Amino acid sequence: MTTTPTTERLWSVADVSAFLGIPVGTLYQWRHRRIGPRASRVGRHLRYDPADVRAWFNKKAA
């Protein structure tokens, strides 16, 4: 029996930018200032866990 992964794929900077409706540059500034959603480096690319982005957004919206 083959199982399918239940985790969502990681988001790129462009994905998070589209989700939040903000420029990509803003995400890089927030990362530099450590005020944005948590991101991880995969090679030389930034990747975001969608659950972390949603949790960060909900915390800021509250």
Side-chain angles (χ1 to χ4, degrees):
M1 173 181 233
T2 305
T3 58
T4 33
T6 56
T7 58
E8 210 173 346
R9 73 170 181 85
L10 296 176
W11 286 355
S12 69
V13 175
D15 294 330
V16 177
S17 171
F19 176 77
L20 295 175
I22 60 169
V24 168
T26 300
L27 285 171
Y28 285 114
Q29 288 176 9
W30 287 354
R31 180 166 166 80
H32 179 73
R33 296 178 186 169
R34 298 176 188 230
I35 60 173
R38 185 173 61 170
S40 299
R41 285 230 170 255
V42 178
R44 60 185 192 179
H45 304 281
L46 283 180
R47 292 294 180 255
Y48 294 82
D49 183 332
D52 288 344
V53 175
R54 290 184 187 106
W56 176 86
F57 177 78
N58 290 333
K59 182 178 173 187
K60 292 294 182 182

